[in-house]
Amino acid sequence: MEDFNKLKRKLDEMSVPELYDYVKENYPENEELALGSKKIIIRKVLNFERNRLNEMEKAEE
């Protein structure tokens, strides 16, 4: 959970153009993550990362 807090702080500190570039660079397969207000984009990225982590944990079981 600490990683999510670090990621959230990192995203919060970014300007809108920086956030847009970060999402485009790190999630090129998910263009919809970069759509919306800054708050919505941050929420989408955090949810995406949380879902990806859950999927990895399920695969390990």
Side-chain angles (χ1 to χ4, degrees):
M1 193 60 161
E2 183 178 322
D3 292 337
F4 288 110
N5 290 332
K6 286 181 184 178
L7 178 59
K8 181 170 183 346
R9 280 194 299 274
K10 177 181 176 178
L11 297 174
D12 282 337
E13 292 173 356
M14 291 182 183
S15 67
V16 174
E18 288 173 329
L19 182 60
Y20 179 79
D21 290 341
Y22 176 85
V23 171
K24 287 293 188 180
E25 184 177 314
N26 291 291
Y27 308 100
E29 69 281 358
N30 293 308
E31 292 182 17
E32 73 277 357
L33 291 179
L35 302 176
S37 68
K38 180 177 179 177
K39 188 175 183 178
I40 291 172
I41 293 171
I42 292 170
R43 189 177 315 137
K44 286 180 181 180
V45 170
L46 292 173
N47 285 339
F48 179 81
E49 288 295 336
R50 203 172 284 121
N51 290 339
R52 184 160 63 176
L53 181 62
N54 288 340
E55 289 297 320
M56 288 176 20
E57 287 176 352
K58 286 180 185 177
E60 291 176 359
E61 291 178 353

